[in-house]
Amino acid sequence: MKILVTGGTGFIGAALIHQLRDHDITVLSRDPAKASLSLGEPVKAITTLDQLENLNDFDAVINLAGEPIINKRWTARQKDTICRSRWGITQQLVEKIKASEQPPHTFISGSAVGIYGNQHDNVIDEDFAIEHVSRHDFAHHVCQRWEHIASDAASEATRVCLLRTGIVLGRHGGALAKMLLPYQFGLGGPIGSGKQYTPWIHLDDMVNAIVFLLNTPSAHGAFNMTAPEPVTNKVFSQALAHALHRPHFLFTPAFALKLALGEAASLLLEGQNAIPAKLEAAGYTFQHRDINEALQDILRHA
């Protein structure tokens, strides 16, 4: 297949492109030379979507681009950057899909479990009524608009899959890479009460599930990209400490996170007990269902 990928040099995107190396891949990158070097010579790179009049030449588009949502405080400027980095490029892709005489048969576009808001310990599958979430919830607002824009690409010729992604766990990037240092020094522990759910997924399953959706013509709509066995933050923290053979007795109080991150602390202090009901019903089989096994696998292959 000929596949266009945005966000291809990121944590998930780079792993996905490695998995798709037998296909004809084009990535969108601000630094094409660096992208080709890091991803491998067969991968083509373009600097802007304006280089493409339409997407007739592509069989599929995978849209993973977006400013990291937790790296900085949510100032008005940072919120605008987070929104524009997702909505703008998605809108461009949708317009080019709709301008194509022979559009890609598949459009896979990012989202996140943050669309569900803070649902405490309620089990959430893809049928959860997201319209009941507070409009003041920033993560929900970002994802709802993001999905709405992407869904406009759907037609008889193009199916749309939306990736409601949880915390993707891998050794050399994402959330886990940032957690390792304090845990390695024995300073890890639960965040806040530790009762909030952590909807996690192993990087291998994230990548394999995207490939599964790409190769499953009947798949469309939103999918929770989370492992079947979500755990609370306390259980996750215990599993990580155990995998690293480190003590587990400290904790990060909620007020400290709020001081450091402001409103963005809500992503760590709140959570979603999200399960991949639709993905499993479609036939995907998870390699890593248990958090203890998943963390041990990641750290063993470091």
Side-chain angles (χ1 to χ4, degrees):
M1 274 189 278
K2 291 185 176 181
I3 305 171
L4 173 64
V5 181
T6 71
T9 57
F11 173 51
I12 298 169
L16 175 64
I17 287 174
H18 178 73
Q19 188 80 340
L20 295 172
R21 59 189 175 276
D22 292 334
H23 296 274
D24 186 342
I25 305 294
T26 299
V27 297
L28 178 67
S29 173
R30 285 171 292 191
D31 190 339
K34 184 177 179 181
S36 296
L37 184 63
S38 63
L39 297 173
E41 196 59 43
V43 174
K44 306 182 190 73
I46 58 174
T47 56
T48 172
L49 290 175
D50 292 336
Q51 292 177 236
L52 306 171
E53 289 187 15
N54 53 54
L55 300 180
N56 285 329
D57 292 335
F58 295 99
D59 300 302
V61 177
I62 302 175
N63 178 30
L64 303 175
E67 171 80 6
I69 198 168
I70 193 63
N71 282 15
K72 301 176 182 178
R73 292 177 70 93
W74 287 348
T75 61
R77 183 175 182 178
Q78 182 63 10
K79 282 185 174 182
D80 183 60
T81 299
I82 289 169
C83 293
R84 284 189 294 106
S85 68
R86 288 160 172 76
W87 302 345
I89 196 167
T90 304
Q91 185 66 56
Q92 281 186 283
L93 289 168
V94 169
E95 289 172 358
K96 291 189 181 298
I97 288 172
K98 295 174 79 169
S100 304
E101 294 179 2
Q102 295 180 311
H105 57 68
T106 302
F107 180 39
I108 298 176
S109 190
S111 183
V113 291
I115 196 168
Y116 298 118
N118 182 24
Q119 298 304 324
H120 306 287
D121 58 355
N122 294 319
V123 178
I124 302 169
D125 64 16
E126 293 84 353
D127 291 329
F128 180 83
I130 60 173
E131 62 267 19
H132 295 157
V133 181
S134 170
R135 61 187 179 86
H136 299 296
D137 186 309
F138 177 63
H140 165 74
H141 170 64
V142 172
C143 293
Q144 186 178 44
R145 174 84 186 277
W146 196 7
E147 290 191 6
H148 179 74
I149 294 170
S151 297
D152 196 36
S155 69
E156 291 185 1
T158 303
R159 63 187 174 95
V160 176
C161 295
L162 305 168
L163 309 176
R164 291 180 177 172
T165 307
I167 298 173
V168 183
L169 302 178
R171 182 68 166 92
H172 300 294
L176 185 59
K178 297 175 183 176
M179 297 178 198
L180 285 178
L181 188 60
Y183 275 85
Q184 286 169 335
F185 282 97
L187 302 175
I191 295 172
S193 69
K195 295 179 181 179
Q196 69 275 26
Y197 268 82
T198 299
W200 63 276
I201 185 170
H202 192 297
L203 179 60
D204 288 351
D205 276 315
M206 182 70 195
V207 167
N208 290 337
I210 293 174
V211 174
F212 173 82
L213 294 175
L214 179 65
N215 294 322
T216 305
S218 60
H220 63 90
F223 291 85
N224 287 345
M225 305 296 278
T226 58
E229 299 175 14
V231 293
T232 64
N233 176 260
K234 181 178 180 180
V235 171
F236 177 87
S237 180
Q238 290 172 331
L240 181 53
H242 178 73
L244 290 168
H245 307 289
R246 295 295 187 270
H248 181 265
F249 58 87
L250 298 177
F251 76 99
T252 303
F255 77 85
L257 272 180
K258 290 176 181 178
L259 282 174
L261 297 174
E263 185 184 352
S266 63
L267 291 180
L268 301 175
L269 296 172
E270 301 173 358
Q272 300 81 24
N273 187 5
I275 59 171
K278 194 172 170 185
L279 192 56
E280 290 197 296
Y284 180 74
T285 301
F286 279 82
Q287 292 183 23
H288 306 282
R289 303 176 65 92
D290 175 77
I291 188 60
N292 289 287
E293 181 278 328
L295 288 171
Q296 288 168 10
D297 175 80
I298 291 167
L299 297 173
R300 182 170 60 248
H301 294 95

